[in-house]
Amino acid sequence: MARISTTTVDRWRNKDARFAALCDAAIDKAGGHIETLAWERAVTGIEETVIHYGKVVGTRIKRSDSIFRMLLMASNRKKYGRMGAVRRKEIEREVRRRIEEEVRAELRPRVASNEEVEQALAKRLAAFSTRVRAKAAEEGRDGPPPPDEGQAGPGASPE
């Protein structure tokens, strides 16, 4: 560890061609080993201790998706480059659009067709008729109750 800032290194590299060449050589030399370590971490993984309630209960292999993504980007920038973030935003936009459509469809008032209205009315009338007949049978009558005085019932003629 040199204990100098990256700004200082960059400034020296820009001023001294020999220093820049030595830096490049050091990076290339370390790069192979670092890439190998990164590959192992991304693909093979590292063994990690599993602790449960303060006790070691086992180990597991932990792989690094982020390192694997960086390796892919380095191997083919055109294919795996910055498109990941762009694609994610595109996907989020599409998912949001679909969710909004579904919510709007659920909130939109639904207008029933004439056939649906007729079926619903027929069902309710049948249920009402059943209740009226049950009440009439309960009261000992055979048919629907007679209309109240002063009110004309169905089929009644005004006097």
Side-chain angles (χ1 to χ4, degrees):
M1 177 98 35
R3 296 183 190 227
I4 58 172
S5 72
T6 55
T7 308
T8 302
V9 172
D10 289 340
R11 203 172 8 186
W12 288 356
R13 288 182 75 159
N14 290 332
K15 287 182 181 178
D16 188 351
R18 186 169 185 284
F19 180 78
L22 289 171
C23 284
D24 290 340
I27 290 170
D28 288 342
K29 185 176 181 182
H33 183 65
I34 291 171
E35 286 175 7
T36 302
L37 290 173
W39 176 260
E40 287 177 1
R41 178 81 185 259
V43 177
T44 309
I46 59 169
E47 194 170 307
E48 186 177 74
T49 304
V50 177
I51 299 173
H52 187 69
Y53 289 107
K55 295 181 181 178
V56 175
V57 294
T59 60
R60 67 177 176 178
I61 301 298
K62 182 178 179 183
R63 292 173 182 82
S64 175
D65 291 339
S66 59
I67 293 175
F68 191 70
R69 182 172 185 270
M70 286 191 304
L71 290 170
L72 286 173
M73 287 172 54
S75 69
N76 189 343
R77 192 162 256 324
K78 190 173 187 180
K79 186 174 182 179
Y80 301 110
R82 293 212 161 271
M83 294 301 293
V86 173
R87 182 75 178 127
R88 187 187 80 239
K89 286 181 183 178
E90 184 181 307
I91 291 169
E92 287 174 351
R93 203 175 307 125
E94 177 63 20
V95 169
R96 178 170 292 166
R97 185 187 63 78
R98 287 182 187 174
I99 291 171
E100 286 175 356
E101 283 177 4
E102 289 175 13
V103 169
R104 284 189 182 113
E106 288 177 11
L107 295 176
R108 192 176 305 126
R110 187 180 171 290
V111 178
S113 69
N114 287 341
E115 186 177 308
E116 290 172 323
V117 170
E118 288 173 5
Q119 287 174 355
L121 285 173
K123 185 177 176 181
R124 286 185 175 193
L125 284 172
F128 178 72
S129 177
T130 303
R131 284 195 311 271
V132 167
R133 284 195 179 97
K135 187 173 182 179
E138 193 178 282
E139 294 174 356
R141 289 182 280 123
D142 288 337
D148 290 342
E149 287 185 30
Q151 289 185 356
S157 59
E159 294 178 17

